[in-house]
Every structure is written in structure tokens, then in C-alpha cells.
Amino acid sequence: MPGVRQVVDYALQRRAVLADVAAGRVPTADACDAGTYLLQAASYHGRPTTRTCPLCEREPVVEVMWIFGERLGAAAGSARSADEINRLADAISEFTVHVVEVCRSCRWNHLVQSYVLGTDDASGGGRRRRRTASP
């Protein structure tokens, strides 16, 4: 997909955490520790998925996209919609997107993926068209 680079998938780490919970090595409360801010972001910015929560199995998890980068200013460290991320990718030279899955029922949360977006122009002046924020 154009513009998406340096993709890191955290599926193995996720499976390891789930195995530790299932084996009793990690308390469920430690895995289901989403804070208030993350739960609010999941409600407001969350992108629905078809994946049911791996712990409570009550409802599908939602994905929340967080953005980080020096050139983002006050927007750094905040959750954003895919549309907002697409606009930023056209205007900012480089920033990182972290995709976190969240269950609003049991508070399960885990980093699913991270990737870099942006114009890939260190000066911030060049603009390349981005079609979507998700890989």
C-alpha cells in the first residue's frame, strides 16, 4: 500500500500474552487494564472489527489509531480517525501510527500493529497522495 512503511505486526506478542493468561501466569486483570482515556478513544475513534474479544468473547474489539511524531505538534500522542490520519499523511513528512485493539466490555487492549506514514520529505514541503491510513 502506498505510503505505509516500516510495518511491525505484534501478533506473536499478542498470542503469547493470551497464552499466559490462559495458563494462569498472567492475571486477567493485568491483561484487561485499558484506562479511561483509551476506552473513551475506543468509543469516539474506534474502528469496528469482526474479531471477537479473545478474553471475554462478548463483543468485537475495536481498533484505535494513535499517532506519534515530532512534526505533529499538539496532535502527537492522540487517537485519530482514519480520515484525519490520511490528511496528516499528506501534510506531515513522517509520523508513526500505533493500532491498538480494545474491548469496551472487559477492557482488554493490545498493540496490534505500528507503521510509519507521511510525505517522506524531511523538509515537510513535498506532498505525495495517500489513499488510506490502514495497511
Side-chain angles (χ1 to χ4, degrees), residues 5-72:
R5 54 195 186 274
Q6 299 177 17
V7 177
V8 179
D9 187 321
Y10 295 91
L12 291 175
Q13 186 180 47
R14 179 183 182 270
R15 279 201 307 237
V17 169
L18 291 170
D20 285 345
V21 171
R25 292 184 293 268
V26 172
T28 303
D30 287 354
C32 297
D33 62 350
T36 304
Y37 189 58
L38 179 54
L39 292 172
Q40 287 175 347
S43 294
Y44 187 70
H45 294 290
R47 182 173 55 182
T49 72
T50 58
R51 298 186 314 270
T52 302
C53 176
L55 291 182
C56 74
E57 298 178 347
R58 282 184 253 175
E59 69 177 67
V61 294
V62 296
E63 291 182 340
V64 181
M65 294 182 289
W66 297 85
I67 57 173
F68 299 92
E70 292 177 13
R71 295 186 180 263
L72 291 170

Side-chain angles (χ1 to χ4, degrees), residues 74-92:
S78 63
R80 298 294 167 150
S81 69
D83 288 339
E84 291 173 300
I85 290 172
N86 285 330
R87 285 193 296 275
L88 289 169
D90 282 340
I92 306 293

